Amino acid sequence: MDITTHLAARLKQLRQSRGLSLTQAAELTGVSKAMLGQIERNESSPTVATLWKIATGFNVPLSEFLVTPTPAPRPVYDPQSNGMTITPLFPYDAQLRFDHFTITLAPGAQSDSTPHEAGVIEHVVVISGALDMLIDGVWQTLAAGEGVRFAGDCPHSYRNAQQTPTQFHSLIHYPAKA
């Protein structure tokens, strides 16, 4: 099963298992009913920002949509429109409550992230290139080997102002469920 087919099926499964209509899922996630329907029918691939909104609305880790249930080559999620690819290094671990991704941003690409679930902490470490990050309304530039930890439950952005791709690791730590 390819990653977009898995994503479509997983979204529909999560929505239906909670007894939600598309309208209710749209209210929960902040993603339009039309877009959710297109994703479920595998007619549209969501941007990373949209996928984060869906994961946050359903209160599940992002890797719920990126990691297929059968062992296969590591999936790469590459929405066509924003120059960001995400490859899971370690899928969500329920005991440790984290996802760990390698993310590549194309030259000139920017990804704006809506706030994640309350209490989410992100750790970003640049592997190659340079990464501009907007955190708490302030842009900062991280070079290869540098990192930052921040509250992921606030708006934040990733930008590659370089002429070459930027690669970084993102470890996302989720709070314990009450």
Side-chain angles (χ1 to χ4, degrees):
M1 176 184 306
D2 72 11
I3 190 69
T4 57
T5 303
H6 169 72
L7 192 154
R10 187 65 184 125
L11 173 58
K12 188 172 187 175
Q13 179 187 33
L14 278 170
R15 182 180 62 77
Q16 290 179 340
S17 71
R18 295 168 187 215
L20 299 174
S21 66
L22 280 171
T23 300
Q24 291 167 318
E27 291 170 6
L28 187 68
T29 63
V31 176
S32 75
K33 175 182 171 180
M35 176 57 76
L36 290 173
Q38 290 172 359
I39 295 167
E40 281 191 7
R41 293 186 304 273
N42 204 9
E43 295 172 354
S44 179
S45 295
T47 64
V48 173
T50 299
L51 195 55
W52 265 116
K53 284 175 133 179
I54 295 168
T56 299
F58 279 103
N59 198 23
V60 297
L62 181 65
S63 62
E64 275 293 316
F65 298 104
L66 302 179
V67 178
T68 58
T70 57
R74 287 193 311 189
V76 174
Y77 185 68
D78 183 11
Q80 300 85 4
S81 63
N82 75 351
M84 175 185 253
T85 59
I86 299 178
T87 306
L89 286 174
F90 300 102
Y92 180 72
D93 181 308
Q95 183 177 4
L96 299 175
R97 301 181 325 274
F98 77 88
D99 278 323
H100 194 171
F101 304 104
T102 296
I103 300 175
T104 303
L105 272 181
Q110 179 170 324
S111 179
D112 302 316
S113 183
T114 56
H116 309 314
E117 173 186 357
V120 168
I121 302 294
E122 291 194 36
H123 304 78
V124 170
V125 178
V126 178
I127 304 304
S128 63
L131 177 66
D132 296 332
M133 290 213 56
L134 179 66
I135 303 168
D136 293 328
V138 177
W139 283 101
Q140 60 182 297
T141 301
L142 302 171
E146 294 181 330
V148 64
R149 180 178 63 186
F150 61 95
D153 56 6
C154 298
H156 51 281
S157 298
Y158 311 89
R159 178 177 66 197
N160 178 5
Q162 309 300 306
Q163 298 298 314
T164 57
T166 293
Q167 188 174 59
F168 59 97
H169 284 181
S170 176
L171 184 137
I172 300 153
H173 186 261
Y174 299 91
K177 305 281 186 214

